[in-house]
Amino acid sequence: MQRFFVTVFLGLSLFLQSFMAAATWQEASVEVRQTIEDMIVVIDTHRAQQPVDITAVSADIEKIVDRDVDFEYISKWVMGKYYRQASDDQRTKFAVVFKQTLIKTYAKSLLEFDIDAYKLVEPNAVSPEDDKQIVSVEVTSKAGVSYTLVNYMVKANGDWKLVNVMLDGINLRITFQNQFAEMMQRTQYDVGRVVDSWEAKVDDNPVQS
């Protein structure tokens, strides 16, 4: 009889863990879906207005990413091992500059890729940490081109935030981290110069429709 109750208890525990994990992924996926829907509305609205006002597109996308993306978290990872060398002002400035990089990346990508449909893909395995979830999305353009967008989500203070994106196998956070490291080498490891150079690079490469 005791073995029976132990078996039932373990089975119930596993069921509850599985249910909670599924519920946690669902929470993160709701945030991802909302972000995608909001961005589609922005792009469709501005694409209907010719010529496209890139400044207006970027401003509307900024409202979305400010709500849904943890820029301090991402910028810290992009700076990598050089984060400790940076002053508080340099860290804050880079977080702001990096946000502009991401906004321009989003704006350019969304304007070029005319989304026709998307589908969220449930994970094959349960995340070992409830507050960290991966939400994959299969996106198809009206031209029939498809790609996989992998969103890395972290829950903090009750809100789910995007902390990294992988696009068809290309890890954007690692890509930007490598760029930052290369710039550090070219400037003889001067964090201030790298942050200023990154800002100038963003300003010199405006998004074009």
Side-chain angles (χ1 to χ4, degrees):
M1 182 63 72
Q2 184 178 4
R3 180 178 298 177
F4 171 76
F5 282 115
V6 170
T7 302
V8 171
F9 176 76
L10 289 175
L12 181 60
S13 296
L14 290 173
F15 171 77
L16 289 175
Q17 289 176 13
S18 176
F19 176 79
M20 290 175 64
T24 303
W25 182 86
Q26 289 293 343
E27 287 180 6
S29 69
V30 167
E31 187 65 37
V32 171
R33 185 185 298 277
Q34 188 62 59
T35 300
I36 295 174
E37 290 289 346
D38 290 347
M39 286 196 172
I40 289 176
V41 169
V42 168
I43 295 304
D44 286 348
T45 299
H46 288 283
R47 187 181 281 120
Q49 303 170 359
Q50 295 295 330
V52 176
D53 185 344
I54 299 301
T55 300
V57 174
S58 297
D60 284 345
I61 288 180
E62 183 172 6
K63 296 174 184 177
I64 299 171
V65 297
D66 271 342
R67 180 193 68 196
D68 299 335
V69 180
D70 190 337
F71 291 104
E72 290 188 11
Y73 186 106
I74 302 177
S75 63
K76 179 179 179 179
W77 276 90
V78 170
M79 296 180 82
K81 62 183 180 181
Y82 305 110
Y83 181 82
R84 293 183 178 180
Q85 296 179 214
S87 66
D88 289 341
D89 288 343
Q90 288 170 337
R91 293 170 181 174
T92 300
K93 182 177 181 180
F94 184 69
V96 173
V97 170
F98 184 76
K99 181 176 79 169
Q100 296 306 314
T101 301
L102 204 58
I103 289 172
K104 289 178 180 292
T105 300
Y106 271 130
K108 182 178 181 180
S109 299
L110 289 169
L111 284 170
E112 291 179 349
F113 195 95
D114 195 1
I115 296 177
D116 180 52
Y118 71 90
K119 180 178 69 174
L120 274 63
V121 182
E122 293 195 17
N124 293 323
V126 175
S127 172
E129 300 177 74
D130 288 345
D131 61 348
K132 295 180 180 179
Q133 297 291 327
I134 295 176
V135 182
S136 297
V137 185
E138 294 179 355
V139 185
T140 305
S141 73
K142 292 181 179 178
V145 179
S146 299
Y147 66 82
T148 300
L149 184 67
V150 182
N151 300 272
Y152 294 81
M153 309 293 291
V154 170
K155 190 175 186 179
N157 300 319
D159 296 320
W160 285 98
K161 297 288 186 178
L162 179 72
V163 296
N164 192 21
V165 174
M166 186 178 291
L167 179 61
D168 269 355
I170 299 175
N171 190 311
L172 293 187
R173 192 170 71 188
I174 291 179
T175 298
F176 286 128
Q177 185 182 68
N178 290 339
Q179 290 180 7
F180 192 93
E182 290 172 3
M183 292 174 71
M184 284 292 292
Q185 293 177 0
R186 290 201 301 268
T187 59
Q188 297 183 336
Y189 304 99
D190 188 328
V191 176
R193 285 180 61 191
V194 171
V195 174
D196 291 340
S197 297
W198 196 293
E199 182 177 28
K201 184 178 180 180
V202 172
D203 291 340
D204 290 341
N205 291 277
V207 179
Q208 297 180 353
S209 60

